[in-house]
DNA sequence: TAGGCCATCTGGTCCT
DNA sequence: AGGACCAGATGGCCTA
């Protein structure tokens, strides 16, 4: 009877968290079934491998002789591997949490239509780029250029999502994400769904979007500057970053330009800008919330499907 | 069923 | 030695 109760309790606990259950299932499946690594299995299968080698006709291998896998070593190895797996899982969860936080500060955030990891990074890059452009050119966010900048290199569904936000109007797009905006996001008000054609990207035909579930975010620079504000604003579980911050980011971008003005992706990815005119680059200064002493980030350009076309939109 | 996305495991490398 | 990070491999899930 007590067994039944405990099993029942276990089941309830397990069913209470589907995600956790799936995670644990995966984990235990790997940890238990595979249990031992290939190396371990080999060692177990032939614990006298080394002796075979010595006794057999195979030529001796160079290098230090492989230590015999005793049961104690085997056990230590297994424990170490299991611990490493757990750490790796934790690390990846942290990475995913950070990515989720990034999703939330994107111009459009949808709980139901979650951006993939790669699309999140692409959109983030475009967003930064577009905002930089706004700062420099003094343009509004209503222009077609802003939209195209945001959508550059994105897949069709992501482009649709962004375009949907934009076509709701900038006032909708930049509403505070914490406000309930279902009335603004209701496509019935506008009478149509959106199908923005992303410039030049072969995209999977995921169809049009329904903007019911969009959360729209104002382009606020404040959170970027103040980690505590970020944490508070986003209500994120990740503690605010308290370490050294990056050196003053050159708003002047991070892409080298070729002579014709196109970005030179072959060169280093040092943070440079397609907008050298702004004169904000390298200002280590006054009241800047950025600090020095940390290696600066280098954005992998390969994120984009068409990195070499990215700049074209600015030169038109 | 194929393709995209994802979580996890794993072994290698680097660093402390 | 052990932890962090990384990239490749693998298998599951989902959608068109």
């Amino acid at each position: 009877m007590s067994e039944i109760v405990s099993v029942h309790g276990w089941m309830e606990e397990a069913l209470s968290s589907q995600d956790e259950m799936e995670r644990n299932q995966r984990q235990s499946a790997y940890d238990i079934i595979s249990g031992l690594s290939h190396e371990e299995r080999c060692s177990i299968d032939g614990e006298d491998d080394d002796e075979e080698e010595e006794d057999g006709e195979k030529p001796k291998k160079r290098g230090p002789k492989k230590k015999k896998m005793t049961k104690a070593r085997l056990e230590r190895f297994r424990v170490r591997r299991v611990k490493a797996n757990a750490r790796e899982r934790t690390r990846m969860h942290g990475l995913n949490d950070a990515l989720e936080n990034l999703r939330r500060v994107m111009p459009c955030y949808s709980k139901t239509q979650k951006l993939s990891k790669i699309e999140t990074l692409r959109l983030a890059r475009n967003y930064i780029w577009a905002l930089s452009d706004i700062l420099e050119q003094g343009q509004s966010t209503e222009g077609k250029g802003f939209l195209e900048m945001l959508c550059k290199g994105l897949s069709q569904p992501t482009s649709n999502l962004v375009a949907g936000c934009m076509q709701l109007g900038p006032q909708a797009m930049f509403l505070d994400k914490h406000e309930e905006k279902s009335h603004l996001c209701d496509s019935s008000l506008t009478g149509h769904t959106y199908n923005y054609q992303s410039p030049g990207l072969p995209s999977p035909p995921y169809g049009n979007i329904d903007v019911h579930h969009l959360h729209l975010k104002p382009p606020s620079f404040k959170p970027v500057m103040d980690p505590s504000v970020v944490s508070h604003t986003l209500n994120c579980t990740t503690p605010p970053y308290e370490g050294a911050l990056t050196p003053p980011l050159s708003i002047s971008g991070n892409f080298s330009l070729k002579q014709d003005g196109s970005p030179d992706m072959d060169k280093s990815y040092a943070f440079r800008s397609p907008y050298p005119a702004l004169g904000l680059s390298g200002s280590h200064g006054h009241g800047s919330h950025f600090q020095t002493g940390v290696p600066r980030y280098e954005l992998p350009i390969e994120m984009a499907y068409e990195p070499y076309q990215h700049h074209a939109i600015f030169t038109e």
Side-chain angles (χ1 to χ4, degrees), chain A residues 83-101:
Chain A
K83 279 167 72 178
N85 290 345
R87 280 196 307 273
E88 179 66 8
R89 274 195 303 273
T90 303
R91 195 181 69 87
M92 294 310 295
H93 291 166
L95 195 60
N96 290 338
D97 288 346
L99 210 53
E100 183 58 30
N101 289 337

Side-chain angles (χ1 to χ4, degrees), chain A residues 19-172:
Chain A
D19 286 349
E20 200 62 30
M21 187 175 71
E22 285 178 10
R23 280 180 185 175
N24 291 338
Q25 279 179 343
R26 286 173 187 267
Q27 175 185 347
S28 51
Y30 276 110
D31 286 351
I32 294 173
I33 295 175
S34 66
L36 304 174
S37 68
H38 173 72
E39 184 182 339
E40 289 170 315
R41 282 193 295 272
C42 290
S43 301
I44 286 179
D45 292 341
E47 208 168 313
D48 51 354
D49 271 357
D50 292 348
E51 289 163 16
E52 262 183 24
E53 225 173 65
E54 286 176 4
D55 297 342
E57 295 171 0
K58 291 178 186 174
K60 282 185 179 178
K61 285 179 184 174
R62 289 188 182 188
K65 187 183 174 187
K66 204 176 173 184
K67 279 189 182 176
K68 195 172 178 178
M69 269 292 193
T70 64
K71 280 195 173 180
R73 285 196 70 215
L74 220 53
E75 181 59 21
R76 263 183 283 137
F77 189 90
R78 194 189 67 81
V79 168
R80 202 168 63 217
R81 197 57 256 175
V82 169
K83 279 167 72 178
N85 290 345
R87 280 196 307 273
E88 179 66 8
R89 274 195 303 273
T90 303
R91 195 181 69 87
M92 294 310 295
H93 291 166
L95 195 60
N96 290 338
D97 288 346
L99 210 53
E100 183 58 30
N101 289 337
L102 183 59
R103 283 191 188 100
R104 290 166 198 258
V105 295
M106 286 298 100
C108 42
Y109 171 68
S110 168
K111 282 181 181 173
T112 55
Q113 192 175 346
K114 202 166 121 180
L115 290 180
S116 71
K117 293 179 176 180
I118 187 68
E119 289 293 89
T120 302
L121 293 176
R122 286 185 181 124
L123 181 56
R125 174 204 55 190
N126 291 355
Y127 192 35
I128 292 170
W129 212 335
L131 290 178
S132 300
D133 202 50
I134 287 176
L135 277 181
E136 186 188 356
Q137 313 278 343
Q139 294 175 347
S140 82
T141 59
E142 301 174 35
K144 186 187 171 193
F146 184 75
L147 174 59
E148 287 181 345
M149 231 180 275
L150 284 181
C151 296
K152 197 69 181 177
L154 301 182
S155 68
Q156 187 69 61
T158 309
S159 297
N160 289 344
L161 193 66
V162 175
C165 295
M166 292 298 288
Q167 292 181 29
L168 287 172
Q171 69 273 36

Side-chain angles (χ1 to χ4, degrees), chain A residues 174-299:
Chain A
F174 298 130
L175 272 177
D176 188 295
K177 69 189 276 295
H178 295 293
E179 296 171 12
E180 187 50 59
K181 298 169 284 296
S182 58
H183 61 290
L184 279 170
C185 295
D186 190 343
S187 61
S188 65
L189 293 178
T190 54
H192 50 269
T193 55
Y194 304 99
N195 191 11
Y196 174 73
Q197 295 298 316
S198 175
L201 178 69
S203 309
Y206 294 157
N208 300 340
I209 67 162
D210 180 355
V211 295
H212 274 85
H213 307 287
L214 298 182
H215 279 212
L216 305 164
K217 177 75 180 74
S220 167
F221 294 97
K222 191 177 179 183
V224 177
M225 307 300 252
D226 186 344
S228 64
V229 173
V230 173
S231 177
H232 178 262
T233 304
L234 302 181
N235 192 26
C236 63
T237 56
T238 310
Y241 178 64
E242 291 173 349
L245 298 174
T246 55
L249 291 180
S250 160
I251 197 83
S252 303
N254 63 340
F255 303 138
S256 315
L257 296 185
K258 293 175 180 174
Q259 282 190 338
D260 63 358
S262 60
D264 189 348
M265 306 304 184
D266 296 329
K267 300 282 176 60
S268 75
Y269 299 146
F271 199 85
R272 264 198 289 147
S273 168
Y275 314 114
L278 191 55
L280 292 177
S281 69
S283 68
H284 286 251
H286 320 294
S288 169
H289 291 250
F290 297 113
Q291 297 170 6
T292 56
V294 166
R296 54 183 164 185
Y297 285 100
E298 296 177 355
L299 192 64

